[in-house]
Structure formats: structure tokens, C-alpha cells
Amino acid sequence: MKAIKILERVLTTIPIMFGVAIIVFFFIRLTPGDPVDIMLGRSAAASQREIEQLRHQFHLDEPLHVQLGYFLGDALRGNLGYSYIRNKPVVDLLVERLPATIEMTIGALLISLIIALPIGILSAVRQNSLLDRLSMAGAFLGISMPGFWLGIVLILFFAVYLQILPAQGRISYDVELQEVTGLYVLDSLLTGNLPALKDSLLHLLLPSITLGAGVAAIIARVLRSSMLEVLRSDYVKLARAKGATEWDVVMKHALRNALIPTVTVVGLQVGVLLGGNMIVETVFSWPGLGRLVVDAIFNRDFPLIQGAVMIYAITFVLTNLVVDILYTYLNPKITL
Amino acid sequence: MNRVRMIQFSALAILVLLAACATPTPQVIEKVVEKPVEKIVEKTVVAERTVVVQPTAVPGRDTLVVALARAPSGIDPADHSSREAETVIRNLYDGLVTRDKTSGVHNEIAESIKWLDTKTLEIKLRKGVKFHDGSELKADDVIYTFERVFKPNAIEFPQPHTALRKGFLGPFGSAEKKDDYTVVVNFTAPWPAAMQMLVHTQIVSKAYVTKVGTKGLIEKPLGTGPFKFVSSKTGLEEVVLERFADYFGGAPDLTPVGKACVSRAVFRVIPENSTRVAALLAGEVDIITEVPAELVDTLKKVPGVQVKSVAGTRPIWMEFNVTQAPFTDVKVRQALNYAVDKNLIIKKVYNGLAQPLGGALMPTNNFADPSLKPYTYDKAKALALLKEAGWTPDASGMLMKDGKPLAFVIDTIDSLRPVTEAVATMLRDVGIDASVRVWEYNVVRPKLLARERQAYVGDWGDSAFDPVGHIEAKWHSLVTGSTYGRGNFSGYANARVDKLIKDGEIENDVAKRKVIYNEAQKLIYDEAPALFLVLPEAIEAAAARVQNWAPASDSRENLHDVCLK
């Protein structure tokens, strides 16, 4: 029954994708700026005839509905077209960049959970204590610190000053790694390449902290407030009255319910992180999706923007689905 | 020790502040940033007294790592449109001719080049020049390269299209093989700029490209250059090259001649300025490009860092829309040239690393007229000229004419915002209500060509050091559908200048060409369709172990000569 429901939900993504595709298609074409002009470079000496030729080649000289027809027709066959600027299939470009973004997302999420879970729980259990105030102040700082600033400070301290962590990139150029999935940490494990594992983990650390700091702050705050609410509920009082240990009360009875809103927030954040974080990717020269898409927007690389936004849409829909499935485990009363 | 600590202190503080300033919304974030910056810097210094911030590369590393600010736009010599791409390509491929670190052209693959008449060029090729697969470069490869660049739709991947580098072959007509080492190129018109322009066409192997196609050439480039392609990652975010053992040595005029000095070279993209500098300080990279001018003094003080600069090739002007009042009046345009203190801009915005422009061509262009001196800063003269044009100050000092203030918006792009704001401030100082608006270039360009805007601060590349490719774009009147006036954002149109520009394009005699271009430059200088601003320098930095390195005027990183200590 659950499998059918999940399948239903997956199928509902199709009209969503269709809608997203059409909206993006028209919106990017409403933006001023001519892709052919950009492609030729700032001082290009192309004649009008050559410009027309390029425009024709990309179907940009045809009416919008005809262009939409080409796009949807190709998309249905799994072909998202060629990037104007990079002369490569859009699908290849996205596949090439996605692992970097996924890796940083997982890193950031792990870091944020490692920070946020204990802080959120402890500050709720010891409400108004010094620990609570300090951790909430820390959370406030985490939300307020802009990623580019935190990133640069971390680079300066750990890479330039202490010289114990790398400043940029995903892996050192002199470390050999056989790519399997594109996730370097996983690939190092799969190929049993310990130097690559160490190197890729070291490269991952600073970007993950930079990106995870803000997420950790959000999760800690949400978890704290939902824990506070749950800890005041009757069934927790009952558990205490039954003589359950404080550990059991908090971790077994309270946390499970308090996690429902937290999971929602984590789910949303995963969606945001998977979209690629342009700023952190730029600071750490991390070749992920965010930078690719921002470049694509500046270059008016229509096929690439369309492809990337479709990926974002799929990511959000699927993350929401995963969150909903998790709900059913956390609270069996909830159904899909 | 104290001095080192001071240097560390300031380097860190400036880097962090730079990072703070790099945000698209600085006003919002600045307040959050200021205090923590000081705290962290303070803490760092106290905690690590003995650490010296200086590049400490991996010991024994024989790999040269170069950090670029942007990813190359391609790796096909015929089909790219960025300087980063050219940098990578010219280490993998050679041209018939090459350029030294300034503007001199020297034979590379060509042994000799001579004009048989004004439209025919005879190129004799050096013997024994080998491609990376061991095959010898011959006349067929040169002809194939030219045709691939010039013929419509000659590039078949991903869809048939014309090469983006076509413009660099000028009025190419055809190329014929005289023998295996001699090519005769016929142009459809005289082309005096040929030598400077041919620097930008690199020769591919006919046999290889015919076999693997454009896709294969992009995936595994194969040239005759000092380095062979090894691998590239995630697009061209990282390109790894290794020394080509059978390299013919390069241009004999440019020493050292021989194989590349380093065994491996890596180009890595690090887009953020602060990270690029940090990566150099951390010893992760050896050479960094596009160093911000404001960091030069600090970096120079860091032990083990070399900072070098060279005149760039992107002169900056503020073009007036001469088709609209108040800029229809030449006196207003001249007055504004006197009202802006270019030397102050050079000092404050470019940290002294720029030179003032004396007209339409940058001073390092081979045909720039040295007798044209930059307009001097003379506020009194500016006000006198404005008065002659009918603009007089009111009680508050604002210039007025017929009850209306002298007010206009200066458009620009983000990278030129600081210089534009400096100009606007100086203009406000003489009573002009000037404000700044920042655009994306491709959005503002059509508006400028349609003469819808008032003034525009922009730059225009002149990396061929010849007026052709530059002067007809900026100062020839706009001829829709052609390349003439494609960058003419002022609407300037002078029939005599147009004629001179066209005459200069086909005059092969250098002395006569100079006379032609001097007259054009003088006319443009006097009529001042623009406020001639500055030519910024290209700044780069390297670790101490990098030897025999210097930035090149045309922004190319020629790694052939570079050695590592």
C-alpha cells in the first residue's frame, strides 16, 4: 500500500516538472540580454550574418511556441539540449557537477546535525541555563554569519595560518583517484585509496563547516523549541511518573515527537543545499551546481538554466517525499 | 619579528575586509562583519606567534600550479572567446607566430613570412616541428587550420557552426600548398595587421582532427606546444599538462629556447580573489592571476611572494552620447576631460598601477600617437569651457543652463564601478549632478548602441596592439550588420575618421599607416567623444620558487620559460 502511495507521489512530479519547465522557459526568455551576443565575447568581430546564423542554429530566431516545442520534444526524450557557452550536452554538465554538490550537502548536513542535535536537546532540557543561552547565542551567530565571510576567515586561519587544511578545491591535483560515482570520499572508499580519502575529507571539511554553520543554527533552534513543547506534554509527565530515567524520557519519548518539525526543516534545508550554494562554492572554488547555474544565468545559457532548474524542482519534490515518508516512521498515525 | 607580525596582521585583515566587500549587498553585511574581523585577527596573532605567512610549497614538487580567475571558455583553438582559454591553448599549441611579453611578434612555427604582394603571404614552415603524437607539422595542417577557422560551419560539434575565432583571420581568402613546408595565403584585401592577428591562431593536426573530430579534439587536445594534455576535470576547472619531450624549442628569438622547464603544469580555477591570494599564501598554487590592486602593497611585504605587473590591454573610457544634449556640444565633452583627475584615480583606485590615456588608443598600442598627451586635470579650464557652452554655477555651485541643471546618469558594469564612482564624484565637484548605474554588459549594450543612454564607462580589449580589431569597433561610426562601430557607444560619427580608419586597414606601409592613424587619433582627441580615462595594469603574483616568470601584456601565461627552484 505504501509502495503504491510512493509511486503515486513520484508520478505527481511529472505535471510539476512540466509546469516548472514551461515557467522557466518563458521567464528566462523575458530577461534582457542576448545569449549569442554573450557567446561571441565582449569585443567579438562577428558580422551580422554570423550572428544570425548562430541565432538560427539555436532556434532563437523562431517564435517562442516553436522554441518551446523543440525544448519539450527533446526533454521528453531525455535530451536537455546543448549548453550554448560550454558546447556540451546539458545532461553531461549537470551530471558532472551534481556529485560535488551532493558531497558538500552531505558534509554540511552531517556537520550541522553533529552540532545541532546535542545543542538543541540540551538547551531544551536545561532551559534558561547558561548552556542554553550560550548555545542559542551561538545559533544566532551561525545564522547571521555570511557564508563568504566565514569561509574566508576559516581559510585564513586553517589554510594560510596553520596550514593544516587546504584552501580550495575538492582534491589535490597530485592525488590520483579513480572516479566511480563522482563523490570523492565514497570513491576513495570504494577503491580503497586511503591517501585520496584523507585528502578529499580534508578538502571537504572547511566548505562543510561554512555551509553547515547556518543550517546547524536553524536546526538547533527548531529542535529546541519543539523539544520544549513536547517536554511539557502529558505523555512525558506520564513517562516520568512511571519512573522512566531522564535519558529514556528525553531520548525515547520526547525526541521522537520533537523530530517531526525538525525533519521538515532538515528536508527543506537539504533541498536548498542541493540547489548548490554559489557563494560557498565560489569561495572554496568548489566545482558544484551553484556556480554552474549562476554562470549560466549571466551567460543567458537557456538550455543549461532550464536543465538546472528542472534538477532543482526534482530535488525539492523528492526531498519532500522523503520527509513525508520519514514522518510515517516517526509517527505511525501519519499516512502518506 | 614584529615586522613579520605586522605584515601577517595587515594581510589577514585586508583579505577579510576584501571578502566582506566582495558581497553583492555590502551595505547590509558590513556591520555584521567589522567587529569579528578584528577579534579573529587578534586571536590568530596571539595564538601563533611563530608562524610566518609565506608560501610553503610541497617540498620537491616539480609541478607548477597556476590559479586562473575564470574557467577557460573552451579548449578548441578555433572555437573559444576568452583569455583564459587562450592561455591554456597557447601552452598546448603553437602558432605560426607568437608574441613576446610586450607587443613584439616573432616567428614560432613559421621560419619566415613574407608578403609577396599586399594581399599574398608566403609562409615557410620550420622543419621537424612535431605534434604531441609524434607526427610532423606540415603545410596541410596549416591550411586545414585556416579553413577550419574561416569556413562557415566548419566546426561540426556539437552542431555545425562557424568558429568563434574567425575574426582573427581578417580578410582570409584561400591557402595553397606550395610544398610540404610552404603555404601561400591569399587575402581578399590588404591586411597590415596580419602579423599581430596571426598570433591568435594556433595550428591543429589535420590527420588528428579528421580522425577524432572536434569532440575528440576537445576531449584530448593535441598540438605542437611545449606541453601535452594530460587531463581536465569538471569542465575546465582544472587542466593538467605535462612537458612535451619532443618540443621543437619555440620561437628562436625568444630565449630560453628548448623544452619546457617544469615537468608538469596545472591550471586551476579559483574565482574568488581572496581565496586565490590565500591559496598562494598557503603554498597550494605558484602563480595567481588578476591580483586586486589594493592587495599589491600588502602582498609585496609578505616574505616569499613576488608581485609583478605589466600594462594591460583593456583601456577604459567614459563615452558620451554625442547625439544627445548636453554632449552634442564639444566644449562640454572637452570640459569633462579636464574636470577629472586621472592621476588621482590611478593613485586611489588602481594603487598607482595604471596609466592615463591620451586618446583613442592605449599608449602601448604600436600605433598610438605619443604626441597626444592625456588631458590634464584643470578644474578652472573645465569651468571656463562649460561657461562658454552656457553652463554657469548657481548659488549652490550646481551648473545650470536655461534653468536646468547639468545632470546625467553614468552607466557602467560591476567590475568598473569603483572607477565610475570616482569619476562621478569628481564631476559633482565641478557642479555636475552625475549619478552611477550598474548594469550587466549584455543588457546595457543594445541600449548604448540604440543611443538610449547618456554616458557609459566601459573598457574594450586591444590585445592585438594594432588599431585593427579595436579602432573600427570603438570610433568608426556604427554600420549595422558589419563589424564597424560594434563597440561605438558614443554615437560618434566623423566621415573623415571613418575614412582614415578604413585607409589604415589596408595600408601596408608602416610609416604611411602611422600618418593615417595619427590624424584619426588627433581628430578623436580634439572632438572628445569620450572622457579618456586609464589603462590599468595586469597584476599577478607568484611564490618565490617561481623563476623566469613575468606577466604578459596580452594576459597569456606562457609557462614554457617558467622554472621552479
Side-chain angles (χ1 to χ4, degrees):
Chain A
M1 192 61 196
K2 196 176 259 182
I4 293 170
K5 290 270 187 189
I6 291 174
L7 188 67
E8 258 175 36
R9 288 284 298 271
V10 172
L11 288 176
T12 55
T13 58
I14 294 170
I16 295 175
M17 297 310 300
F18 189 72
V20 167
I22 291 177
I23 291 171
V24 174
F25 179 89
F26 285 110
F27 269 43
I28 50 173
R29 279 166 177 77
L30 287 176
T31 329
D34 182 351
V36 171
D37 224 23
I38 301 167
M39 202 168 96
L40 289 168
R42 299 230 334 240
S43 333
S47 69
Q48 197 60 33
R49 200 173 57 86
E50 284 149 13
I51 293 171
E52 297 300 335
Q53 221 174 34
L54 273 176
R55 205 161 272 144
H56 176 70
Q57 183 188 319
F58 298 137
H59 306 301
L60 290 169
D61 55 347
E62 301 197 41
L64 275 185
H65 65 272
V66 179
Q67 292 184 42
L68 180 65
Y70 282 122
F71 167 57
L72 291 177
D74 286 347
L76 281 176
R77 289 193 291 270
N79 172 13
L80 293 175
Y82 279 92
S83 153
Y84 296 158
I85 304 288
R86 292 166 193 261
N87 264 352
K88 255 184 147 179
V90 167
V91 174
D92 287 6
L93 283 166
L94 296 175
V95 168
E96 192 175 82
R97 299 285 183 134
L98 204 55
T101 298
I102 291 174
E103 193 162 57
M104 188 152 79
T105 302
I106 294 172
L109 202 66
L110 283 177
I111 296 266
S112 62
L113 289 175
I114 290 167
I115 300 171
L117 287 179
I119 288 181
I121 296 168
L122 275 175
S123 46
V125 173
R126 305 203 195 294
Q127 196 193 358
N128 295 330
S129 66
L130 183 65
L131 178 84
D132 179 25
R133 286 176 201 283
L134 277 179
S135 53
M136 283 306 109
F140 188 70
L141 198 67
I143 294 173
S144 318
M145 275 190 299
F148 68 89
W149 181 81
L150 180 63
I152 290 290
V153 169
L154 290 175
I155 287 175
L156 289 176
F157 191 69
F158 291 102
V160 178
Y161 224 84
L162 301 179
Q163 304 202 341
I164 52 171
L165 289 174
Q168 44 81 36
R170 289 184 71 196
I171 195 161
S172 301
Y173 61 85
D174 48 1
V175 172
E176 299 288 332
L177 173 64
Q178 175 73 39
E179 284 195 35
V180 184
T181 61
L183 302 170
Y184 286 179
V185 175
L186 185 63
D187 290 352
S188 325
L189 284 171
L190 290 175
T191 54
N193 186 342
L194 286 181
L197 178 66
K198 185 186 165 200
D199 195 67
S200 51
L201 277 174
L202 290 178
H203 277 85
L204 187 59
L205 202 56
L206 291 185
S208 301
I209 294 173
T210 309
L211 196 56
V215 180
I218 296 169
I219 297 174
R221 287 183 70 91
V222 171
L223 183 58
R224 176 184 178 269
S225 53
S226 50
M227 275 295 280
L228 281 175
E229 204 180 307
V230 171
L231 283 171
R232 285 190 203 110
S233 59
D234 290 343
Y235 76 91
V236 171
K237 280 181 197 156
L238 179 70
R240 283 201 173 110
K242 280 198 308 188
T245 61
E246 191 61 18
W247 173 265
D248 281 353
V249 170
V250 174
M251 302 307 285
K252 285 192 181 159
H253 297 272
L255 183 61
R256 194 163 168 172
N257 272 328
L259 275 180
I260 294 178
T262 313
V263 166
T264 313
V265 171
V266 172
L268 284 174
Q269 289 300 319
V270 170
V272 172
L273 292 176
L274 278 176
N277 188 308
M278 193 275 278
I279 292 174
V280 177
E281 284 177 7
T282 303
V283 168
F284 289 96
S285 120
W286 194 267
L289 215 49
R291 258 175 67 204
L292 181 77
V293 175
V294 172
D295 282 351
I297 292 170
F298 277 114
N299 288 322
R300 306 290 188 272
D301 197 340
F302 295 159
L304 188 49
I305 303 172
Q306 282 158 190
V309 175
M310 306 260 290
I311 293 273
Y312 291 165
I314 292 176
T315 310
F316 265 92
V317 172
L318 292 184
T319 319
N320 273 325
L321 178 61
V322 172
V323 168
D324 289 351
I325 294 169
L326 276 176
Y327 279 172
T328 62
Y329 285 102
L330 290 167
N331 185 351
K333 278 196 248 168
I334 299 174
T335 53
L336 274 176
Chain B
M1 195 61 212
N2 277 345
R3 210 173 139 256
V4 172
R5 275 179 55 199
M6 278 302 291
I7 294 165
Q8 295 170 347
F9 201 90
S10 43
L12 288 172
I14 289 174
L15 275 177
V16 175
L17 282 172
L18 261 186
C21 296
T23 170
T25 50
Q27 301 89 335
V28 184
I29 292 151
E30 251 168 16
K31 281 182 188 166
V32 185
V33 166
E34 275 171 10
K35 282 190 177 172
V37 172
E38 285 163 19
K39 268 186 192 167
I40 280 179
V41 171
E42 208 172 291
K43 191 178 154 198
T44 309
V45 173
V46 173
E48 292 293 331
R49 277 170 193 275
T50 53
V51 174
V52 178
V53 177
Q54 61 174 318
T56 47
V58 181
R61 193 178 76 190
D62 186 28
T63 301
L64 177 73
V65 188
V66 181
L68 300 171
R70 276 168 295 279
S73 62
I75 202 164
D76 179 347
D79 208 28
H80 65 90
S81 59
S82 77
R83 292 187 180 196
E84 291 77 16
E86 190 165 341
T87 270
V88 176
I89 286 167
R90 284 174 63 189
N91 281 293
L92 287 164
Y93 294 86
D94 282 327
L96 295 169
V97 286
T98 190
R99 196 179 281 126
D100 53 33
K101 297 257 185 309
T102 51
S103 60
V105 174
H106 306 266
N107 288 338
E108 197 168 44
I109 290 173
E111 196 170 59
S112 68
I113 298 186
K114 90 174 170 209
W115 287 103
L116 299 179
D117 58 53
T118 56
K119 295 186 199 170
T120 316
L121 203 58
E122 187 187 78
I123 303 164
K124 285 210 178 290
L125 302 174
R126 214 172 286 286
K127 287 180 182 160
V129 175
K130 285 191 178 157
F131 283 105
H132 299 152
D133 61 358
S135 61
E136 192 184 3
L137 183 145
K138 292 191 178 160
D140 284 337
D141 300 307
V142 175
I143 295 167
Y144 179 75
T145 299
F146 281 168
E147 288 176 349
R148 189 167 176 268
V149 171
F150 201 81
K151 280 193 175 169
N153 293 329
I155 313 282
E156 83 291 357
F157 176 82
Q159 290 153 331
H161 65 281
T162 307
L164 290 173
R165 303 299 275 179
K166 186 185 171 195
F168 286 91
L169 282 187
F172 176 82
S174 63
E176 296 152 24
K177 173 172 152 182
K178 212 164 148 188
D179 58 54
D180 268 355
Y181 300 98
T182 312
V183 179
V184 174
V185 184
N186 303 301
F187 295 101
T188 55
W191 195 36
M195 289 307 121
Q196 287 287 357
M197 300 297 259
L198 283 176
V199 168
H200 301 280
T201 296
Q202 275 61 47
I203 309 300
V204 296
S205 157
K206 181 182 179 184
Y208 183 69
V209 183
T210 318
K211 186 177 150 207
V212 301
T214 299
K215 188 168 184 283
L217 183 71
I218 292 170
E219 283 165 1
K220 192 156 176 38
L222 182 123
T224 58
F227 291 95
K228 291 196 289 188
F229 178 84
V230 176
S231 63
S232 66
K233 254 186 212 159
T234 330
L236 296 167
E237 293 278 317
E238 182 180 290
V239 182
V240 181
L241 317 176
E242 72 180 11
R243 179 167 51 210
F244 175 40
D246 283 337
Y247 186 51
F248 77 97
D253 298 358
L254 303 175
T255 51
V257 176
K259 295 179 190 58
C261 189
V262 294
S263 60
R264 255 169 122 81
V266 177
F267 287 101
R268 236 186 185 185
V269 178
I270 308 183
E272 167 62 36
N273 287 343
S274 313
T275 313
R276 224 162 36 250
V277 172
L280 177 72
L281 295 178
E284 291 176 23
V285 302
D286 300 300
I287 298 175
I288 58 170
T289 59
E290 299 191 31
V291 174
E294 60 272 27
L295 265 181
V296 169
D297 288 344
T298 318
L299 271 181
K300 274 185 175 167
K301 289 177 198 158
V302 177
V305 170
Q306 322 171 51
V307 184
K308 292 185 183 176
S309 62
V310 64
T313 51
R314 294 203 78 90
I316 300 170
W317 303 271
M318 178 168 96
E319 283 165 88
F320 307 118
N321 182 350
V322 300
T323 65
Q324 260 184 34
F327 301 121
T328 42
D329 191 334
V330 67
K331 284 189 175 138
V332 173
R333 306 195 303 251
Q334 288 170 339
L336 266 58
N337 267 290
Y338 287 114
V340 169
D341 185 350
K342 289 173 274 286
N343 290 324
L344 188 62
I345 289 179
I346 290 169
K347 194 172 158 197
K348 296 290 181 189
V349 180
Y350 294 99
N351 201 12
L353 298 172
Q355 42 186 318
L357 292 181
L361 293 177
M362 61 179 190
T364 45
N365 188 298
N366 290 329
F367 288 84
D369 179 358
S371 70
L372 292 178
K373 301 293 174 208
Y375 279 83
T376 48
Y377 173 55
D378 190 337
K379 198 172 157 185
K381 199 166 181 177
L383 285 169
L385 278 166
L386 285 165
K387 195 173 174 187
E388 281 176 39
W391 296 96
T392 47
D394 65 4
S396 65
M398 291 302 292
L399 290 165
M400 307 289 284
K401 185 178 176 181
D402 305 328
K404 285 185 184 160
L406 180 48
F408 56 88
V409 176
I410 309 172
D411 299 315
T412 192
I413 50 175
D414 194 45
S415 59
L416 299 177
R417 183 203 291 252
V419 59
T420 311
E421 281 171 350
V423 169
T425 308
M426 288 175 187
L427 295 179
R428 283 198 288 273
D429 189 46
V430 292
I432 296 167
D433 181 9
S435 54
V436 175
R437 183 166 173 183
V438 178
W439 299 75
E440 262 185 77
Y441 176 71
N442 58 77
V443 176
V444 73
R445 183 169 175 253
K447 294 182 189 299
L448 295 167
L449 290 176
R451 317 292 173 226
E452 288 170 11
R453 308 297 305 167
Q454 295 172 290
Y456 173 70
V457 172
D459 56 5
W460 194 271
D462 185 7
S463 56
F465 302 92
D466 189 281
V468 171
H470 180 81
I471 201 165
E472 85 284 0
K474 289 308 295 180
W475 311 108
H476 192 286
S477 56
L478 176 64
V479 181
T480 312
S482 81
T483 56
Y484 291 100
R486 65 188 186 276
N488 180 339
F489 300 142
S490 60
Y492 178 64
N494 179 322
R496 178 69 189 154
V497 171
D498 287 358
K499 182 175 183 309
L500 289 165
I501 289 173
K502 285 199 161 147
D503 288 351
E505 278 175 9
I506 51 168
E507 177 54 68
N508 271 0
D509 184 291
V510 174
K512 285 184 190 162
R513 236 181 139 211
K514 280 207 163 156
V515 173
I516 291 169
Y517 283 127
N518 282 358
E519 188 189 340
Q521 287 174 78
K522 179 80 171 80
L523 282 169
I524 298 167
Y525 180 88
D526 289 340
E527 293 190 320
L531 198 173
F532 307 110
L533 286 165
V534 295
L535 174 69
E537 295 192 1
I539 313 164
E540 294 177 7
R545 73 192 197 113
V546 177
Q547 313 265 293
N548 206 19
W549 152 83
S553 259
D554 60 1
S555 310
R556 176 201 172 192
E557 295 299 322
N558 179 2
L559 304 185
H560 169 255
D561 303 350
V562 181
C563 291
L564 290 172
K565 227 186 342 191

